[in-house]
Amino acid sequence: LFTVTLVSLLFLFSCRGVLKYQTNLEEHPPGCFNPNKTLRQNLTVPKGFEELLSDYTTEPFPADLPVPEPFVQNSFMRVCSKEPKFQSHFPETWFWISGPLCLYCVERLYRYIRSNKPVTITSVISHPSNVLEVRMMKDDFEARPGQYVILHCPRVSALESHPFTLTMCPTDTKATFGVHLKVVGDWTERFRDLLLLHSNQDTEILPIFQQRRYPKLYVDGPFGSPFEESLNYEVSLCVAGGIGVTPFASVLNTLLDGWKCYKLRRLYFIWVCRDIESFRWFADLLCMLHNKLWQENRPDYINIQLYLSQTDGIQKIIGEKYQALNSRLLIGRPRWKLLFDDIAKCNRRKTIGVFCCGPNKISKILHKLSNSSNSYGTRFEYNKESFS
């Protein structure tokens, strides 16, 4: 909206002739002295200017302003023979902005046509730590792991839309796709209240034949992101902080369906959370992927490390269901330098893709370590998820 307003103002100003240029620069050069009869009576004019000044007539110099003394302080100064004249520029702004503006309008029209049909919400799941999962279906919807979509719910806000990373992408066997969203702020709170009968409900509600109770939801996208490249490296390091795990969830879901068709052969997955309940968002997914790789005799394909920054309630995750994750749960924060050195040592002379979605503090550390040299000839290429 700001861009459209700015372009419209520039176009309007150019058409109304607000911008002007001087047409008589020879008769009135910039910085010249503009004499009149009052000044000529009190000043000693150098020779050579008498004839020029004799034909010049202007209004008297205002009495309340100090009289300059240019000829007393300077031996030479250019004298204006005429008053300055200005003329409006020929409108040319339209020529430069019409092309980009047409492309912008075409793009907006295409996005409107693509998202004018509401999606079918198949299920809604309320997860711990105020995280809501929404699973949907849409005709001819295709997406790749790591991409994101923009959700628009008119009942929440007629003008407001928000981007969310896909945590589940449609495949050849299933057409369902989904997102996880953190309930923070007015928009997400209102959206949650419309989707859930009770905000503390922990199970799927309202099966597909009761869709009339769901509000209309429009999906625009998908749109690309750097995390699409995580499957195109032979080795990838994925670091998530809290809800920043959502871009990697679609990657893990894709690997669960089949990993042999991708270039990726080793994945380091680091997830840092403040409370133990946050790991339950994708605990089942991590366990299923871990068991699948063990059954296929590829236990080294994925290296999972879960870091808990707060120790309150650590006993809650202990259980037979998440035994594979319990052995990979660490207390405290990752020692990033030692982690990078260990990965570089195990993958000598390889290019490793580093993907981060989390707090800026973690992002800056990873960016700095990725640009640092090591003695193993390993190269780290840094990528970051960011919404503007």
Side-chain angles (χ1 to χ4, degrees):
L1 182 60
F2 174 78
T3 304
V4 175
T5 304
L6 181 60
V7 172
S8 301
L9 290 176
L10 290 175
F11 185 79
L12 179 62
F13 286 164
S14 62
C15 293
R16 293 295 299 270
V18 176
L19 302 178
K20 299 180 180 181
Y21 67 97
Q22 186 177 343
T23 58
N24 59 340
L25 291 176
E26 295 183 358
E27 294 82 1
H28 189 98
C32 67
F33 173 63
N34 189 359
N36 55 40
K37 295 182 179 180
T38 304
L39 289 179
R40 291 205 305 271
Q41 295 175 357
N42 300 326
L43 296 176
T44 303
V45 182
K47 295 182 178 180
F49 290 97
E50 290 88 347
E51 296 180 359
L52 179 63
L53 295 178
S54 60
D55 298 330
Y56 193 90
T57 58
T58 60
E59 293 295 330
F61 196 83
D64 57 337
L65 295 178
V67 179
E69 299 180 358
F71 294 111
V72 176
Q73 301 176 2
N74 302 280
S75 59
F76 176 77
M77 176 171 286
R78 303 185 68 177
V79 178
C80 308
S81 60
K82 293 183 179 180
E83 291 289 335
K85 297 180 180 179
F86 296 93
Q87 183 177 341
S88 300
H89 280 279
F90 180 77
E92 295 182 355
T93 305
W94 65 270
F95 178 77
W96 300 103
I97 69 173
S98 58
L101 189 60
C102 290
L103 292 177
Y104 175 79
C105 294
V106 170
E107 190 263 348
R108 295 300 302 181
L109 178 61
Y110 170 73
R111 289 180 56 181
Y112 173 77
I113 297 175
R114 182 175 60 178
S115 60
N116 66 342
K117 185 178 180 181
V119 299
T120 302
I121 300 177
T122 59
S123 61
V124 178
I125 306 174
S126 179
H127 292 284
S129 302
N130 288 328
V131 173
L132 191 68
E133 179 182 359
V134 183
R135 296 181 181 179
M136 301 160 280
M137 293 180 62
K138 184 179 180 180
D139 296 337
D140 301 326
F141 183 83
E142 297 180 359
R144 295 188 298 271
Q147 293 184 327
Y148 69 95
V149 294
I150 297 179
L151 301 185
H152 175 63
C153 184
R155 289 185 59 183
V156 178
S157 176
L159 301 177
E160 193 173 357
S161 302
H162 290 274
F164 295 96
T165 305
L166 289 171
T167 55
M168 179 186 298
C169 295
T171 61
D172 296 335
T173 58
K174 65 177 184 299
T176 305
F177 63 97
V179 297
H180 284 64
L181 55 97
K182 182 78 171 179
V183 181
V184 179
D186 298 338
W187 193 92
T188 52
E189 290 178 358
R190 175 63 176 164
F191 187 52
R192 177 198 58 189
D193 295 338
L194 290 175
L195 292 178
L196 295 180
L197 293 178
H198 304 286
S199 60
N200 58 353
Q201 191 167 352
D202 296 329
T203 59
E204 297 186 11
I205 63 171
L206 297 181
I208 192 170
F209 57 83
Q210 296 181 0
Q211 288 302 310
R212 63 183 183 274
R213 297 191 180 184
Y214 284 122
K216 287 187 177 181
L217 181 64
Y218 299 88
V219 174
D220 186 13
F223 300 94
S225 74
F227 291 97
E228 295 181 55
E229 300 297 323
S230 58
L231 297 174
N232 295 330
Y233 286 90
E234 186 177 352
V235 182
S236 292
L237 170 61
C238 298
V239 180
I243 195 62
V245 71
T246 52
F248 308 115
S250 59
V251 176
L252 298 177
N253 271 306
T254 301
L255 295 177
L256 187 62
D257 294 335
W259 54 270
K260 296 182 180 179
C261 58
Y262 298 101
K263 184 179 178 180
L264 183 65
R265 289 297 174 264
R266 180 169 295 176
L267 173 63
Y268 294 89
F269 179 70
I270 314 297
W271 190 6
V272 184
C273 289
R274 293 182 178 180
D275 58 276
I276 198 69
E277 291 297 323
S278 300
F279 292 117
R280 296 184 182 273
W281 301 337
F282 301 103
D284 294 332
L285 174 61
L286 292 174
C287 289
M288 287 189 295
L289 181 59
H290 174 269
N291 296 333
K292 173 183 173 63
L293 294 173
W294 271 80
Q295 293 175 2
E296 297 180 359
N297 197 24
R298 285 303 306 270
D300 60 338
Y301 187 91
I302 182 171
N303 187 317
I304 301 175
Q305 297 184 25
L306 308 178
Y307 288 87
L308 181 64
S309 59
Q310 296 180 2
T311 58
D312 296 339
I314 187 173
Q315 68 278 1
K316 294 182 181 180
I317 200 173
I318 302 300
E320 185 178 354
K321 181 179 180 180
Y322 302 118
Q323 189 62 37
L325 299 183
N326 291 331
S327 59
R328 290 162 174 79
L329 181 63
L330 305 173
I331 306 302
R333 301 182 182 277
R335 303 174 68 178
W336 298 112
K337 184 64 171 65
L338 295 178
L339 181 64
F340 268 71
D341 291 341
D342 184 62
I343 294 177
K345 183 179 180 180
C346 297
N347 302 273
R348 298 173 183 266
R349 301 181 184 87
K350 292 184 179 180
T351 300
I352 301 176
V354 181
F355 300 88
C356 174
C357 186
N360 289 330
K361 185 177 181 180
I362 297 179
S363 177
K364 291 179 180 178
I365 296 175
L366 297 181
H367 194 185
K368 182 179 179 180
L369 292 174
S370 299
N371 294 332
S372 301
S373 59
N374 56 79
S375 58
Y376 305 103
T378 306
R379 179 185 176 188
F380 294 92
E381 294 184 352
Y382 179 76
N383 302 269
K384 177 188 176 183
E385 176 71 88
S386 177
F387 293 111
S388 59

